Amino acid sequence: MPVKGEVPWDKAPHTDAKHRIYRAYLDKWYPILLSDNGYPSVTYAEGFAGPGVYKDGSAGSPIIAIQALLETPQLAGTEKTTRFVFVDDDPRCVKLLGDELRRRFPDRPRPHGLMPVSVAEGPCSDAFEPALEAVGAWYQPILAVFDSWGNAPVPYRLIRRLAQNPSSEVVVTFMPQHFIRFVSQLSEDTDGVFGHDSSWRAVSDIPDGSKKKAFLLGRYRSMLAEAGFRFLLDFELVTVKGESLYLVFGTNHRRGLEKMKQSVWEVDKVQGIGFRDPKDEYEEALFDLTDPQLEPLERMLVTRLAGAGQIRVENLREWALFSTVYREQHVIPALTKLRNRGQVECDRTRIERAALVRLV
Ligand SMILES: C[S@@+](CC[C@H](N)C(=O)[O-])C[C@H]1O[C@@H](n2cnc3c(N)ncnc32)[C@H](O)[C@@H]1O
C-alpha cells in the first residue's frame, strides 16, 4: 500500500537499530558468499525498499546495503557480480530512491555488468519475482529483505521459491499488532501471509495480549519452516518508548544463523534500544545498556533442564543457537551464574563444553 503520509518520513527510533543489524550482517554476508570458495554472484533484494532516505537526510536500507558492499575491503577488486533489486509500490518512493542512488553514487562504483541496480515500481507480490528474473538472480544466492509496515504481504509461493534457491535467506518485518487488531476485517488474502493457512485467526480466542503476539509469531515461523527454511531467528526490537518491531530471519545455513545472531548482539546497545526474545514469557529486554542480560536465558535453561536429568553443555550451546536469540557463547556464563546460586550442579570444577550439568 502506498505511504499514507509524506515521503520521506521521520525515522522511527528503532529504525536505526534495524539498519545497524542489516549493516552488521551484510558486512559478514558479502565476504562469505563472494569469497574465493563462494559463489560467482549474489543478489540483495528488497520488496518494500522505501525512498532510500529519511527526513533528516540519513540513509535508507537500499543505500546502506550498497555502502556495505563498497566498504568491504576484501571485495575491492572483485570480478564477482552483486545485483541490487529494489521494489516499492509508492511512485514517490521509487522516484526518490532513484534520485538518492544517483546522488549518493554519482560515479558508477562498478561496471554495470558487475553491479546491476534495478528499481521497480509495483506491489511486492507482483513486481518482486519478475524484477529478480530480469537481472538473472535465481540459482545464485539471494538475500531478500521484506520490510513492509509489518503486515508482510509476501506471497507464500515466493517465500518457498527463495527457501529452495541456493544459499538464499529472508529477513521479514512482522508486526503481530496489525493482525490482532484487524483479524475480523482481513480477507482471505491475508491467510496467504501465513502460507494459505487460516489457523492464525484463532488469535481472536486468546485473551492475553503477549500470548496473542507469541501465537502469531509461532504461526509465521511455521509458515517459514513449511516453506523450507531450516533455521529461524526472531527477535523483538524494543525502543525506549516501548514500541516494538519483530524481525524474523530464515536461512538454511547454520553459519547464516550464527552470523545473524552475532550481528544482533554486536549492535551498539547504548542507544536505548533493547531486544527481547519473544519466547521469554517475562518479556525481559536482553540488554541493560552495556551488559547482556542473561536472566531470560537462565530461566530458559532451568526449564530446559527440568526433568531432563543431566545434559552436556555442548548440547545446551546448540539448543541456545537454534532455539533462542542467545548465542552459544552465552550459555557457559549463564550456567555459571546458576551454579553460583546453587541451582545447577556440574560434574567438573569448571563449566566447560564437555561437562554435564543438571538441576540441583
Ligand atoms: C518500512 S518502509 C521501508 C523502509 C526501508 N526498508 C528502510 O529501512 O529504509 C515500507 C515501504 O513499503 C512500501 N510498500 C507498502 N506496501 C507495499 C507493497 N504491497 N508492495 C511494495 N511496497 C510496499 C511503502 O511504500 C514503503 O516505502
Side-chain angles (χ1 to χ4, degrees):
M1 233 181 14
V3 181
K4 283 203 191 88
E6 51 179 347
V7 176
W9 52 86
D10 283 322
K11 186 157 65 168
H14 54 220
T15 300
D16 257 337
K18 183 180 74 183
H19 285 166
R20 291 200 308 278
I21 292 169
Y22 291 172
R23 173 67 201 244
Y25 187 64
L26 287 166
D27 285 346
K28 304 169 192 31
W29 186 75
Y30 290 121
I32 292 174
L33 282 259
L34 295 175
S35 68
D36 289 344
N37 301 325
Y39 289 88
S41 72
V42 295
T43 300
Y44 173 87
E46 292 209 37
F48 306 83
V53 62
Y54 287 83
K55 223 177 187 174
D56 64 0
S58 55
S61 51
I63 304 295
I64 291 169
I66 295 180
Q67 283 169 339
L69 171 73
L70 300 179
E71 291 165 14
T72 299
Q74 301 94 303
L75 298 175
T78 183
E79 289 295 302
K80 297 193 174 194
T81 302
T82 313
R83 304 175 200 86
F84 292 92
V85 172
F86 302 119
V87 171
D88 200 287
D89 73 349
D90 187 315
R92 294 170 298 166
C93 291
V94 170
K95 157 92 174 61
L96 204 48
L97 177 56
D99 294 346
E100 198 57 23
L101 286 165
R102 281 184 290 276
R103 189 180 76 77
R104 295 265 187 175
F105 311 105
D107 303 316
R108 175 166 277 290
R110 304 217 168 144
H112 176 74
L114 291 185
M115 193 182 137
V117 180
S118 130
V119 181
E121 183 184 320
C124 172
S125 53
D126 299 342
F128 194 76
E129 241 177 310
L132 286 175
E133 287 297 354
V135 296
W138 294 104
Y139 311 110
Q140 291 286 304
I142 299 170
L143 175 57
V145 175
F146 296 117
D147 181 19
S148 66
W149 302 115
N151 54 337
V154 185
Y156 178 62
R157 184 200 68 249
L158 173 58
I159 299 273
R160 220 177 38 206
R161 190 168 175 198
L162 287 164
Q164 281 146 23
N165 199 56
S167 298
S168 296
E169 300 178 331
V170 291
V171 180
V172 189
T173 307
F174 185 76
M175 283 271 199
Q177 289 87 339
H178 167 80
F179 300 94
I180 294 169
R181 197 174 317 146
F182 300 115
V183 55
S184 57
Q185 296 154 41
L186 291 169
S187 71
E188 223 176 82
D189 283 355
T190 306
D191 297 348
V193 171
F194 295 91
H196 305 288
D197 176 351
S198 61
S199 63
W200 71 274
R201 292 179 185 273
V203 69
S204 49
D205 304 330
I206 300 172
D208 176 87
S210 53
K211 291 211 169 80
K212 280 180 191 282
K213 290 196 281 182
F215 171 76
L216 286 175
L217 263 181
R219 298 315 309 145
Y220 200 72
R221 282 174 66 98
S222 301
M223 179 279 291
L224 287 175
E226 181 83 9
F229 285 109
R230 288 174 60 209
F231 305 122
L232 303 174
L233 172 65
D234 51 78
F235 54 92
E236 184 182 358
L237 288 173
V238 192
T239 73
V240 269
K241 289 186 186 161
E243 298 158 323
S244 63
L245 175 79
Y246 294 82
L247 289 191
V248 189
F249 173 67
T251 179
N252 278 313
H253 293 270
R254 179 192 172 116
R255 199 159 178 214
L257 183 66
E258 287 169 350
K259 294 296 170 194
M260 181 53 89
K261 274 200 179 177
Q262 189 183 340
S263 306
V264 172
W265 283 95
E266 258 170 32
V267 164
D268 180 13
K269 299 113 202 166
V270 195
Q271 300 273 339
I273 302 288
F275 300 99
R276 289 199 291 230
D277 187 333
K279 290 178 280 303
D280 178 33
E281 58 185 21
Y282 289 79
E283 297 195 324
E284 192 167 353
L286 298 180
F287 299 127
D288 178 8
L289 296 184
T290 51
D291 287 328
Q293 295 290 292
L294 296 179
E295 286 79 7
L297 177 61
E298 291 166 31
R299 281 195 292 274
M300 290 188 268
L301 278 165
V302 168
T303 309
R304 176 75 189 84
L305 286 165
Q310 53 183 14
I311 303 186
R312 205 163 291 287
V313 172
E314 187 56 33
N315 295 345
L316 291 172
R317 285 166 46 92
E318 291 274 301
W319 161 83
L321 172 67
F322 295 122
S323 308
T324 76
V325 294
Y326 284 91
R327 299 182 68 197
E328 293 155 288
Q329 291 85 330
H330 291 128
V331 167
I332 291 180
L335 284 171
T336 305
K337 287 172 77 185
L338 286 169
R339 182 162 79 167
N340 293 346
R341 287 205 302 271
Q343 289 175 266
V344 157
E345 60 189 16
C346 176
D347 67 341
R348 305 194 180 190
T349 45
R350 282 184 54 228
I351 297 191
E352 52 199 22
R353 285 174 176 216
L356 289 164
V357 289
R358 60 191 292 160
L359 281 187
V360 172

